[in-house]
Amino acid sequence: MAKIESEILVGKTLEWKGEFDLENKFIPEIICTDRRNEFSIVRDEITINVLLIAKANIKEILLTASENTEYENLSNVLFELLKYENLFDGRFYETIILQLDGMDIAAIVSQKWLPYFGSKKSYTYICLKYDDDTEYKSLFQQWNEMCDNLGIIHQMYLYSCYSSDITPDVKLALLLQTFEPISDMLNDKGKIVLTKTPYIIKSAPCNHCGEMVSATIKNKELLFSDRIRAVINKYGVGIFDNDNKEILIEKSVNLRNKVVHLDCGQTDVLTGEESGVYLYKFSLLYRNIVLNELGLESSGYNVIIENWIRNFDRKFNHCMIQ
């Protein structure tokens, strides 16, 4: 049988169905999910009707175009929806059905999907209840504009959180790196104020005795720790309340420098186990920023975050930086 290339697939309807394995866990917010959203968008002068149904741990998306169009056009909308839903779900769903005009195309196209779409990793589930389809469409469109502005930043977030081929310390270092451009964005908008640390301590071996000596000098540049501190102080309330934030920031910055800048001299860094734990907290910090930028009232999901953090800190108390 001749191989069909995804580039020549054309149709009017793209049907996707996914399932998330709860692994015998009872998560009330997921089990009680029963949501249906329907609206239309226009892409390249083609109207696409979107129907999304979420019930418990099953999610279905049906895209119907006003005329025949390339698979790529429909799949781009599908990916946008999956990334938007991921902001709240904290997980992706395993694809169990993917059909174009009733033809199973999963085997043809799935190998070209970015790997995080098939990740089984799960983070905090934030249940958002929409007033109506108009609100869903409005937030989804806002998200698309924001995602375009974030560009590689959000791609890095998804890769660092949902990849399965790198270790937790490298994941966390890559995730931490996203807060550098994000802090600039928030500072430009007046959401945070980036302030330079007035003094820093420099250490070096003495030329005469060889012993390490330290000196306090005036700081002339904005440090990565200044950026992380400003972001945590504004958006990390409730997430890092039980942590020693200054020690956590220092160890996190050292980890980022060791991995991103290949600074092998850094030794006071988060361990692999600690990195795995704080990957959850910093991923929640990132999502908290995005949800805030979407204009969502934090009161709507703060209780969920606080309850999740309370249980998380209790479970991983031995890994907390206190």
Side-chain angles (χ1 to χ4, degrees), residues 295-313:
L296 294 172
E297 289 292 334
S298 59
S299 59
Y301 53 86
N302 266 350
V303 174
I304 296 173
I305 291 177
E306 290 171 3
N307 289 338
W308 185 87
I309 286 293
R310 189 181 301 112
N311 293 328
F312 185 82
D313 284 357

Side-chain angles (χ1 to χ4, degrees), residues 44-241:
D44 297 328
E45 300 183 347
I46 295 177
T47 300
I48 300 175
N49 186 71
V50 177
L51 173 61
L52 186 147
I53 300 173
K55 287 189 176 183
N57 61 325
I58 301 290
K59 188 169 292 184
E60 300 178 63
I61 296 175
L62 179 65
L63 304 176
T64 306
S66 57
E67 60 185 79
N68 276 335
T69 185
E70 295 177 358
Y71 157 78
E72 301 293 339
N73 295 333
L74 291 171
S75 65
N76 286 340
V77 177
L78 174 63
F79 297 145
E80 291 168 4
L81 286 162
L82 293 178
K83 287 192 287 187
Y84 173 71
E85 291 275 317
N86 171 263
L87 286 176
F88 305 96
D89 292 343
R91 65 206 70 209
F92 287 103
Y93 287 61
E94 181 182 0
T95 298
I96 54 179
I97 292 177
L98 184 64
Q99 296 181 345
L100 182 66
D101 287 352
M103 180 179 71
D104 185 358
I105 61 171
I108 302 172
V109 302
S110 59
Q111 69 270 22
K112 295 186 178 182
W113 285 23
L114 292 171
Y116 50 71
F117 286 116
S119 174
K120 295 184 179 179
K121 192 78 173 175
S122 62
Y123 294 86
T124 319
Y125 182 84
I126 299 174
C127 181
L128 180 65
K129 294 180 174 62
Y130 299 93
D131 290 336
D132 50 38
D133 293 339
T134 300
E135 183 185 31
Y136 186 103
K137 178 179 178 179
S138 175
L139 286 170
F140 174 61
Q141 290 179 319
Q142 287 183 60
W143 159 245
N144 279 333
E145 293 176 7
M146 186 188 305
C147 198
D148 287 342
N149 292 331
L150 290 172
I152 191 64
I153 299 172
H154 195 67
Q155 292 287 76
M156 180 65 78
Y157 159 76
L158 292 172
Y159 181 70
S160 59
C161 289
Y162 294 97
S163 62
S164 59
D165 56 348
I166 52 177
T167 56
D169 55 338
V170 176
K171 284 185 178 185
L172 180 56
L174 295 177
L175 177 59
L176 289 168
Q177 186 64 21
T178 65
F179 293 106
E180 184 166 30
I182 285 176
S183 65
D184 284 333
M185 177 190 74
L186 296 172
N187 183 66
D188 292 342
K189 290 183 176 182
K191 300 289 183 71
I192 63 172
V193 177
L194 294 178
T195 305
K196 299 175 184 177
T197 300
Y199 297 95
I200 58 176
I201 298 175
K202 289 283 188 179
S203 300
C206 174
N207 293 331
H208 300 289
C209 66
E211 295 289 330
M212 292 295 295
V213 294
S214 301
T216 301
I217 61 175
K218 192 171 182 178
N219 179 41
K220 298 181 180 180
E221 61 182 345
L222 190 68
L223 305 176
F224 186 60
S225 57
D226 300 325
R227 298 176 181 277
I228 294 292
R229 184 177 297 105
V231 172
I232 286 179
N233 288 341
K234 175 65 182 290
Y235 297 95
V237 177
I239 300 176
F240 299 97
D241 290 356

Side-chain angles (χ1 to χ4, degrees), residues 227-289:
R227 298 176 181 277
I228 294 292
R229 184 177 297 105
V231 172
I232 286 179
N233 288 341
K234 175 65 182 290
Y235 297 95
V237 177
I239 300 176
F240 299 97
D241 290 356
N242 297 323
D243 299 299
N244 186 319
K245 287 188 279 291
E246 286 305 312
I247 295 179
L248 173 61
I249 290 170
E250 180 181 1
K251 286 178 174 288
S252 298
V253 170
N254 290 344
L255 175 66
R256 172 261 195 179
N257 292 341
K258 180 178 181 179
V259 175
V260 176
H261 296 311
L262 303 180
D263 185 354
C264 298
Q266 295 288 353
T267 55
D268 188 20
V269 302
L270 294 170
T271 66
E273 189 175 18
E274 290 168 345
S275 296
V277 167
Y278 281 99
L279 182 64
Y280 281 86
K281 289 200 171 190
F282 278 103
S283 71
L284 189 53
L285 176 65
Y286 178 95
R287 290 165 68 196
N288 197 25
I289 293 171

Side-chain angles (χ1 to χ4, degrees), residues 24-40:
N24 298 321
K25 296 178 183 177
F26 181 77
I27 306 175
E29 295 86 357
I30 297 180
I31 298 298
C32 297
T33 296
D34 188 2
R35 174 165 55 89
R36 177 189 177 98
N37 299 106
E38 186 170 8
F39 58 93
S40 295

